[in-house]
Amino acid sequence: MKNTFKFVCVGFLFLPSIISACKEEALPTVVTEPVTNITATTASSGGTITDDGSGNIHSKGVCWATEINPTVEDRKTDDGSNSGSYTSQISDLIEGTKYYVRAFATNKAGTAYGNMETFTTLTSLSQSGGQIIADHTVVDRFDDIPQYYIDKVK
């Protein structure tokens, strides 16, 4: 009876270890924030980690590429290692180019990706403030174009 009691007691001591070893590790859950502040060479995005999965977050950020489904093997930001929401600054972009971006978060189970967002960087012309060149004169509004030029172009 003493041996059975010892066996049961030892079994209960190791039971939590056995159960935790059998648990499947889970990836974090992350949502990609919309892309904003788009210029010819930069943009902003970010993510929200809604579930850490199994374990602490080791790294987070956004990754981007000109091909669909970017990964951390492509260009990426490093936005720390805590949970919650974060903002990412995307830089060194090429003007007039379509990009795909996804938020990511990594824990001991691996890297998870958020939904994919797309954006196109501006061109130098689209950043000129919307100015119009008429008769070698730069104007900011259509109404500022000299009437004689409008009459000549009609």
Side-chain angles (χ1 to χ4, degrees):
M1 184 73 165
K2 278 185 172 179
N3 286 339
T4 305
F5 180 72
K6 286 180 186 177
F7 179 73
V8 171
C9 289
V10 169
F12 280 118
L13 287 174
F14 290 107
L15 188 59
S17 299
I18 293 169
I19 292 173
S20 68
C22 293
K23 281 179 32 180
E24 188 174 319
E25 293 185 354
L27 292 171
T29 304
V30 61
V31 176
T32 307
E33 297 297 325
V35 181
T36 60
N37 302 321
I38 302 167
T39 71
T41 59
T42 63
S44 299
S45 183
T48 301
I49 299 171
T50 58
D51 184 352
D52 290 359
S54 52
N56 296 331
I57 300 298
H58 299 294
S59 65
K60 66 181 181 182
V62 296
C63 51
W64 68 93
T66 56
E67 301 293 323
I68 197 165
N69 294 324
T71 70
V72 293
E73 300 300 316
D74 295 306
R75 307 267 326 266
K76 66 178 182 176
T77 63
D78 180 5
D79 295 309
S81 59
N82 53 338
S83 298
S85 296
Y86 56 95
T87 301
S88 304
Q89 301 305 319
I90 304 168
S91 60
D92 298 324
L93 303 174
I94 300 169
E95 70 177 60
T97 303
K98 183 175 185 176
Y99 287 95
Y100 301 88
V101 62
R102 297 194 293 177
F104 72 88
T106 304
N107 68 6
K108 67 182 179 179
T111 301
Y113 296 94
N115 52 298
M116 189 168 52
E117 297 280 336
T118 62
F119 70 98
T120 301
T121 53
L122 302 178
T123 62
S124 297
L125 288 177
S126 61
Q127 285 192 312
S128 67
Q131 293 179 325
I132 304 166
I133 300 176
D135 193 31
H136 303 286
T137 305
V138 178
V139 295
D140 291 324
R141 299 176 321 136
F142 181 81
D143 293 338
D144 293 339
I145 297 174
Q147 187 60 45
Y148 74 89
Y149 183 77
I150 294 172
D151 293 337
K152 186 164 78 169
V153 189
K154 286 184 180 178

